[in-house]
Amino acid sequence: FYILFSYILSQIQCLPLEDFQQSVDLSSESLSVHCIRSVPLHKKGDVLLLHGAKFSAKTWETVGTLKALSDAGFEAVAIDLPGYGSTEALKFDHQPHTVLIKIMKSLSLSKPAIISASMSGMYSLDFIIYHPEDVLAFIPIAPVFPDNFGNLSVEEPKSATAQAIQSISSLVVWGSKDLPGKRRSKILISMFPKSIPFEIQGGTHPCYMDEPEMFNRAVTSFLTNHVMIGIANKN
């Protein structure tokens, strides 16, 4: 019986997905955030997934990224950003990085890797500017830039913030058919010296949906073979 149980357990790499609403205190208001979480049996680290303007947390379940991450040993949480999917809109103005840090703390995410597609760059890149030390790794997919981000590469390349950003390992992803996304990705590559470029041939703006298996393999390989091994070597 023990041998059979051990075999069955070895075939189960993650628990069922959790779909829930998380209450987040933003001081001036309380926000109910829709989340989908995948939990591995043996955890290596945390991953936060942010969606594009036409998509939601459910997208990361549909393309298999949540399962791929948990199979690789990462606890992954995809959220609906404020005003999208099943997350209510904000009633008051809040800086994106403030919203994101509050969400991360409410979910007990400790220095996660961040996967960020398109519009969500307004949140993830703003967060990186203010909290670069709280990011394990960054996987941008043709992200939109917040107004204060581009200045770091032109006006403040030697600032403390720019220096901190340069230490973040990144997998910069874009589709070959997405020319605006490619231009933004090239800027990111110049700003993140520890970046690995990954162009999906024939991919459109949401290139992770064009080639989901290829994308998921690249993400899990990057996190496992570059980020986690790098941490182990430092220790």
Side-chain angles (χ1 to χ4, degrees):
F1 174 78
Y2 175 76
I3 295 175
L4 177 61
F5 178 76
S6 298
Y7 172 75
I8 293 174
L9 190 62
S10 69
Q11 302 305 303
I12 302 174
Q13 295 176 296
C14 65
L15 301 172
L17 294 179
E18 302 174 14
D19 192 310
F20 60 98
Q21 294 290 136
Q22 179 70 32
S23 179
V24 180
D25 182 11
L26 295 174
S27 298
S28 59
E29 61 181 302
S30 180
L31 182 68
S32 179
V33 178
H34 175 235
C35 309
I36 305 176
R37 174 161 47 202
S38 59
V39 181
L41 292 180
H42 304 288
K43 179 178 171 180
K44 296 177 182 176
D46 293 328
V47 181
L48 176 66
L49 298 97
L50 307 177
H51 60 82
K54 295 181 179 180
F55 304 99
S56 67
K58 186 73 176 176
T59 303
W60 298 116
E61 178 183 355
T62 301
V63 299
T65 307
L66 282 168
K67 184 178 186 305
L69 286 166
S70 56
D71 285 348
F74 295 92
E75 181 169 327
V77 182
I79 65 170
D80 285 344
L81 290 165
Y84 293 87
S86 297
T87 296
E88 57 195 353
L90 293 166
K91 298 180 180 67
F92 302 97
D93 290 333
H94 299 275
Q95 291 184 310
H97 71 90
T98 301
V99 174
L100 213 52
I101 193 69
K102 293 282 190 178
I103 292 175
M104 287 167 52
K105 287 182 176 179
S106 73
L107 292 168
S108 299
L109 294 177
S110 177
K111 195 174 182 177
I114 298 177
I115 298 176
S116 177
S118 191
M119 171 280 299
S120 66
M122 300 294 288
Y123 282 86
S124 62
L125 291 170
D126 190 62
F127 181 82
I128 285 175
I129 289 173
Y130 289 94
H131 305 279
E133 71 284 353
D134 291 326
V135 181
L136 174 65
F138 186 44
I139 303 176
I141 311 156
V144 173
F145 290 179
D147 292 338
N148 56 346
F149 188 76
N151 294 337
L152 288 175
S153 62
V154 179
E155 299 174 9
E156 306 174 52
K158 295 183 180 180
S159 68
T161 299
Q163 295 294 321
I165 288 173
Q166 290 172 14
S167 68
I168 299 174
S169 297
S170 304
L171 177 68
V172 181
V173 184
W174 70 92
S176 63
K177 292 183 178 180
D178 178 17
L179 297 184
K182 183 174 184 175
R183 286 193 293 270
R184 293 195 298 273
S185 296
K186 294 296 184 181
I187 293 173
L188 288 177
I189 291 170
S190 68
M191 296 180 67
F192 291 82
K194 295 176 66 177
S195 64
I196 298 174
F198 182 55
E199 181 178 78
I200 295 181
Q201 292 300 318
T204 57
H205 186 54
C207 56
Y208 50 93
M209 299 191 72
D210 298 320
E211 296 286 350
E213 291 185 8
M214 180 190 298
F215 172 77
N216 293 335
R217 283 196 304 269
V219 167
T220 54
S221 175
F222 166 71
L223 291 175
T224 301
N225 298 326
H226 294 278
V227 178
M228 301 312 297
I229 288 178
I231 291 174
N233 290 340
K234 286 181 181 179
N235 295 333

